[in-house]
Amino acid sequence: MAVESVRDLQVELLGIRKHFGGAQALDDVSLRVAAGTVHALVGENGAGKSTLSKVCAGVISPDSGVVRAGGEDVVFRSPRDALARGIATIAQELALVPGLTVEQNVFLGAEPRRGGLLDRKALRRRYDELAEHVGFDLVPDSPVSSLRTADQQKVEILRALSSGASLIIMDEPTAALSREDTELLHDTIRLLVSGGRSVLLVSHFLSEVLELSDEVTILRDGRLVRTSAAADESEASLIDGMLGRSLDSVFPGLPPAPAESASIVLSAVGVHAPGVRGVDITVRAGEIVGLAGLVGAGRSELVMALVGASRVRSGEVTIDGEPVDVRAPSEAMRSGIALVPESRKEQGVVPLRSVEENATLASLATFSRAGFVDRRQERAAAGAVLESTRVRAASPRAPMSSLSGGNQQKVLFARALLCGPRLLIADEPTRGVDVGSRRAIYDLLVEQARAGLAVLVVSSDIEEVIGLSHRVLVMRGGRVTGELTGADITDENILTAAFLDTDTNKGADS
Amino acid sequence: MSNVVEHDTPPATHGGNAPAGRLSAIRWRSAGIIVPFGALFLLLSVTSRPFLSTTNLLNILDQQASIVIMAAAGTLVLVSGAIDLSVGATYALAGVVAAQLVPHTGIPVALAAAVLVGLLVGLVNGVVTTYFRINALIATLAMSFIISGLANLVTDGNLLILTDSPDFANIARSAFLGVRSSIWITLLCVVAFGILLSRTRTGRYLYAVGGNAEAARLSGVRLNRVRVAAFMVSGLAAAVGGVIDVSRVLSAQSTSGATLTFTVLAGMVVGGTSIMGGEGAVWRTTIGVLFIALVGNGFDLLGVNPLYQQITLGIILLLAVGLDAWSRSRR
Ligand SMILES: Nc1ncnc2c1ncn2[C@@H]1O[C@H](COP(=O)(O)OP(=O)(O)OP(=O)(O)O)[C@@H](O)[C@H]1O
Ligand SMILES: [Mg+2]
């Protein structure tokens, strides 16, 4: 049978310490994940959550401390060792082979063979068994690169299960998921747990944590704050524990919506591009427009078209009345459009370069004279913006790859702000950002709007859209299918518009 | 087990100063090539009397001039995530063009023509690999055949000897402050390319393009222009190298660059520039080339069979790439 019998695995981490250079990422942290439970790990960006899960998964070896699996002390030298003990990871950044199919990825390295050759029939059979067991409906022979993130994640989960994992570590699995996919993943997690497996869940969504987990561990600055039953915690108590202070509201107060007479910054008319089928959109100075919709509704595609990163077939885009050349991002940026991209790993981070260089990458022209970079000026500007975006790095000179995921995201935000744009487009601006810093980013967005910028926010987090927007546009199938303002901006209205099929002329698009 | 385990609130730490540990890790990495270089230098100084003489050292530099220049420029291409396998052929073509022209046109025109050839080859390489999206490895390999063919056309397969233009030797062999002009030109190129890579906007973009092209593009970097620029610098350097070596020996032939490309590549890699792009430095490349030169010089001075020299070079290369991969995996 493809799905191996589940061992009741209890994993313990005792007195784990880990430092990177001079930074103590983990300081004497202990944790016990009991079989058949969901154990959540929460904390600010850089608190050490990913590091701890990597220790558990054998990716990182701790400086000191003991890992105990099933009551035995174990030493993991690689993820493979951990897997042999039944511990698998769904990483914060997915690690699939894009060119291979779903089923090939699931059984990568463990392909059924017959006479040394790949046994395709057996592969499909085992895949079907596994997929049915979990209740996933993916097309087994579609290439992984063609799947959306949510589905890629399922592939990773299947891969973990195929190798008989009993403890599955999920580092921010729902950060990139739409609401429906999130629900689906939650069901999957429940299913896994009811089958006796356990899940170590890292998440910045506290409601998710409270809903799903049995126990919660709070980390702060690499130290254990407490472990307690989820039932004994509330969002407020978790925030208190994570931040060491309380947070009255996640969302800042919005400035009043700009008047009808406020000047129009962005005007896009009849935009046709890959995934975008005729969109009209305006954003006024001082206005924050939320772009909602399901994953695949064309929101990111629209954004990519606006910044000139995809092939725009037709349409007029103007900023402050001036036409924008949407054939290249460099041109769009020159017109005053700045972007915080959706995928920080693929589209944002230059991992080997310093935090500072990453922050100034898009605005380098401002800091150079006759082609030479004025480092002092650059440093000063970068320092200020990194401060205001609350980036926590050992040093502005530290390589970007050494930052925690949420802090990398904040650097990308800093990069966009440094461009001094007229229109700021943020695609999933708080993906992977902790509650405290999320507030900082919201504050920044509101501040930009107050200063007269036009702000366009794409988000799959409906609360974020509601809490942050003067006006909400809902997309579906590459079109804007709903526009909501004021009191009409509700959860229900957004969802209705997102699911509503107004697409009467199907197939009319080439 | 109690349900709630309270711990002392840790003092709020805030990043501001660079911890010594991480910085030293970075230094250690850049130092990667310096330590073996220093060790080898010391070893040779102790074991071989003639090694430390000014003549010998300047000789090494003179001999390595063209390689250092080409490797320094090639670093820009490698950092940008591409590779230029046509430098050897370009070196030869520029050399024979200059040698063919100089008796008729005089030195300035011959030099200008050689430089133009280099820039042109770079431009074609750049355009082919970016706008036409042909993989740089293949594109520049193909280009190297084309360029070699052209060089053959220029010389008709003959060895060109510049007996009629002895002044051409002045380009590389005139002395200034007791040091040959070839070395001065090398110094100039290394400094110029080094500054280009580490201090200018173009340099920054090269690292960004090599490190994450899509991120660079979305940040408004014109990828194609940046890559074309790198290839043009590489072509220019190959031309300068070609001219220097023609001037040194006062003869030119179309096959002179045959193995040069790989020597240049070896120097860059030994210096710690990653063939994966996004990482590397001109000064490290320079030391890498000189390290290989020292190995050769050492073998010569100590009278070791040159056969072992090649084997040693191969092992050094493997070690360099292996170390790079190892340090990447530990990041
Ligand atoms: N490879 C590395 N090199 C240097 N420092 C690192 C490295 N990985 C992590 N760190 C540091 O260790 C600390 C903990 O990072 P970690 O990734 O565990 O945070 P996290 O809690 O997962 O944060 P986030 O919520 O942003 O994902 C951070 O200060 C980070 O900068
Ligand atoms: Mg993390």
Side-chain angles (χ1 to χ4, degrees), chain B residues 116-204:
Chain B
L116 207 67
V117 163
L119 288 174
L120 210 66
V121 168
L123 181 67
V124 174
N125 276 333
V127 168
V128 168
T129 54
T130 56
Y131 295 95
F132 296 126
R133 295 164 194 270
I134 299 176
N135 176 287
L137 191 88
I138 305 302
T140 57
L141 182 65
M143 278 296 287
S144 76
F145 290 122
I146 297 173
I147 300 162
S148 293
L150 289 176
N152 248 322
L153 278 180
V154 172
T155 60
D156 242 347
N158 296 320
L159 176 69
L160 306 179
I161 302 181
L162 294 181
T163 35
D164 299 337
S165 317
D167 286 352
F168 202 76
N170 291 338
I171 295 172
R173 302 174 75 171
S174 45
F176 178 65
L177 298 178
V179 176
R180 278 194 172 168
S181 49
S182 58
I183 299 178
W184 288 113
I185 298 172
T186 309
L187 189 69
L188 186 79
C189 288
V190 166
V191 170
F193 300 155
I195 287 179
L196 180 58
L197 186 59
S198 66
R199 295 270 188 268
T200 68
R201 196 140 49 105
T202 308
R204 282 292 180 79

Side-chain angles (χ1 to χ4, degrees), chain A residues 220 227 334 349 375 378, chain B residues 3 9 199 204 212 222:
Chain A
R220 180 159 79 231
T227 295
R334 195 203 300 268
V349 168
R375 285 210 183 156
E378 177 190 26
Chain B
N3 224 355
T9 311
R199 295 270 188 268
R204 282 292 180 79
N212 186 344
R222 295 181 178 84

Side-chain angles (χ1 to χ4, degrees), chain A residues 220 224-228 309 329-331 333-334 345-349 353 368 371 373 375 378 394 402 415, chain B residues 3-5 7 9-10 15 17 19 22 195 198-201 204 207 212 214-215 217-220 222 331:
Chain A
R220 180 159 79 231
L224 184 70
V225 176
R226 64 170 176 265
T227 295
S228 51
S330 51
E331 296 305 318
M333 288 183 60
R334 195 203 300 268
K345 189 182 174 195
E346 270 87 40
Q347 305 174 310
V349 168
R353 305 309 292 175
S368 34
V373 179
R375 285 210 183 156
E378 177 190 26
S402 71
R415 180 191 289 171
Chain B
N3 224 355
V4 177
V5 192
H7 281 248
T9 311
N17 302 324
R22 186 169 303 157
I195 287 179
S198 66
R199 295 270 188 268
T200 68
R201 196 140 49 105
R204 282 292 180 79
Y207 282 113
N212 186 344
E214 182 63 5
R217 188 172 81 100
L218 290 176
S219 298
R222 295 181 178 84
R331 243 197 296 266

